[in-house]
Amino acid sequence: MRNVPRLLINTPDIEIWPGGLLRARSNHDARLLSQASHVLRRKRDGRYLAVQLPHGLMPLVSRLQAEPGIEPAMVALDATLATPARVPPPEGELPLHQLQQRLDQLGLHSTRYASHTGLWLIAEPAHLHLAGFDRYRRPLWLTRGASRAWQRMQHTASLDGIALEAISGYRSHAYQLGIFERKLARGLDVAQILTVNAAPGYSEHHGGNALDISAPDAPAAEESFEHTAAFSWLQRRAGDFGFHMSYPRDNPHGIVYEPWHWCFRRTTP
């Protein structure tokens, strides 16, 4: 099997993962994943749909061709297989036309929400790059620019005796909707959730440029992170690498103070 670039191919309903990064859920999965160059994974629930093997595509669900979004996913997979690994994919974004349905499910009016918060809709990238692994040994996906900047920043911090850990990076619209659904099931209402989480489509994590950062001895996504040496270092140096804290205290978006949330902002075209 030829080398596969560490690249996530993103389509509206299905992600195409490079082989070797997904966890097996059974012995059968383990055998197939060990041979696969790519894995088609349903975004809304993480279900493995098919694997690309040396001899062709093997479905892992019945009626693969009836899966929502399978046609654009197959087009993207064919284009990936036909492109030499050394050729970087073009930058691009996914359309936002499916997002309104997700917002309707939450009873959120997108124009009113955007006007109230000052947040804007953020499209998902068509391609994401492997930036390493997070605290939980999950693949960390970011845009090309954010991936390179994060790796440089993490390395520079280590030279200064500071360990920076990623907690999470890219999240899909479907993942953000799942956060809301789980919290609604626990008895919270949408207004309460919106004080902590941006509405689906409005989180900086969707764009593949945002990182939640912590330190090895600090809890994840807690305000106490501001008292760590890692946070002090980020305050001094993160801007040198294009990262900025998005939600300081009393931010105009109505989101709680998040000293752990940093976003890469491209400084050159």
Side-chain angles (χ1 to χ4, degrees):
M1 183 175 65
R2 67 182 176 86
N3 287 332
V4 178
R6 295 309 202 206
L7 188 71
L8 180 69
I9 311 301
N10 200 14
T11 69
D13 297 291
I14 296 170
E15 296 169 342
I16 303 169
W17 282 62
L21 292 178
L22 287 167
R23 297 175 181 173
R25 296 164 183 166
S26 67
N27 289 337
H28 180 258
D29 279 355
R31 287 193 298 272
L32 292 174
L33 293 179
S34 68
Q35 303 172 56
S37 66
H38 296 84
V39 182
L40 275 66
R41 182 175 180 263
R42 190 190 288 151
K43 291 172 76 168
R44 73 172 187 269
D45 60 7
R47 176 75 181 272
Y48 301 162
L49 301 175
V51 291
Q52 180 67 40
L53 301 174
H55 57 272
L57 188 72
M58 179 176 179
L60 300 179
V61 296
S62 60
R63 303 184 68 238
L64 177 64
Q65 293 305 317
E67 279 288 327
I70 192 63
E71 285 191 28
M74 292 304 302
V75 169
L77 176 60
D78 289 344
T80 299
L81 295 173
T83 303
R86 66 180 180 275
V87 178
E91 299 290 333
E93 296 179 337
L94 301 185
L96 289 164
H97 63 269
Q98 293 185 8
L99 184 57
Q100 187 59 55
Q101 182 180 356
R102 304 187 200 285
L103 297 175
D104 289 343
Q105 290 172 355
L106 298 172
L108 276 169
H109 187 280
S110 57
T111 303
R112 192 178 306 129
Y113 177 78
S115 175
H116 175 70
T117 63
L119 299 173
W120 57 90
L121 284 173
I122 298 176
E124 299 177 19
H127 303 92
L128 290 141
H129 295 254
L130 185 66
F133 295 84
D134 66 17
R135 169 182 288 184
Y136 311 104
R137 299 306 299 164
R138 300 173 302 193
L140 179 69
W141 297 110
L142 297 170
T143 62
R144 182 189 293 128
S147 173
R148 292 173 176 172
W150 162 246
Q151 290 170 338
R152 290 195 300 269
M153 184 168 75
Q154 191 179 38
H155 175 68
T156 303
S158 71
L159 296 178
D160 290 340
I162 299 295
L164 299 179
E165 283 187 341
I167 300 300
S168 65
Y170 162 74
R171 300 176 197 158
S172 69
H173 295 156
Y175 181 93
Q176 194 78 357
L177 180 62
I179 291 175
F180 275 72
E181 291 172 340
R182 288 189 292 275
K183 290 188 175 184
L184 288 168
R186 295 205 304 266
L188 297 176
D189 60 36
V190 170
Q192 291 172 310
I193 301 169
L194 287 173
T195 65
V196 179
N197 300 103
Y202 293 87
S203 170
E204 288 184 328
H205 286 283
H206 298 323
N209 289 312
L211 274 169
D212 289 342
I213 301 173
S214 191
D217 55 350
E222 293 286 346
E223 189 174 311
S224 59
F225 178 60
E226 72 174 350
H227 303 299
T228 65
F231 179 72
S232 295
W233 189 93
L234 287 168
Q235 285 187 303
R236 296 192 310 271
R237 297 297 312 278
D240 297 340
F241 302 90
F243 284 95
H244 305 271
M245 185 171 58
S246 299
Y247 306 118
R249 282 193 173 87
D250 302 318
N251 65 80
H253 307 299
I255 295 177
V256 295
Y257 173 46
E258 294 190 356
W260 61 86
H261 180 102
W262 297 75
C263 193
F264 174 75
R265 293 173 189 150
R266 204 167 301 194
T267 56
T268 57

